[in-house]
Amino acid sequence: MLKVLTRIKRVAYLFMVAWMLGVSNVILEETRMVHDTRSVIEQQEEVPDTDFDSEDLIL
């Protein structure tokens, strides 16, 4: 009888740990989704409008 209770306790512990791990992953994923700014911030390279000819560079 003691082995059966120990087995039930072990299985219940395993299910509780798996459930808590799943919940923590969901919370982490929601936090990333709310605070993720990588897709919003975009850096663009500024290119000058002036064109340089090869004649301008020769001294």
Side-chain angles (χ1 to χ4, degrees):
M1 186 69 179
L2 187 58
K3 285 186 177 184
V4 174
L5 290 176
T6 305
R7 180 69 75 183
I8 291 172
K9 183 179 172 183
R10 192 174 291 165
V11 169
Y13 178 74
L14 183 67
F15 278 118
M16 285 192 307
V17 168
W19 183 77
M20 289 175 11
L21 199 64
V23 169
S24 70
N25 282 337
V26 168
I27 291 172
L28 178 65
E29 203 54 44
E30 285 181 5
T31 303
R32 283 183 185 165
M33 188 171 53
V34 169
H35 298 294
D36 188 20
T37 58
R38 287 181 287 174
S39 61
V40 177
I41 297 173
E42 185 175 312
Q43 295 181 353
Q44 294 186 1
E45 183 179 349
E46 294 184 16
V47 180
D49 291 337
T50 58
D51 292 333
F52 293 110
D53 293 333
S54 61
E55 296 173 359
D56 293 339
L57 296 176
I58 299 175
L59 296 175

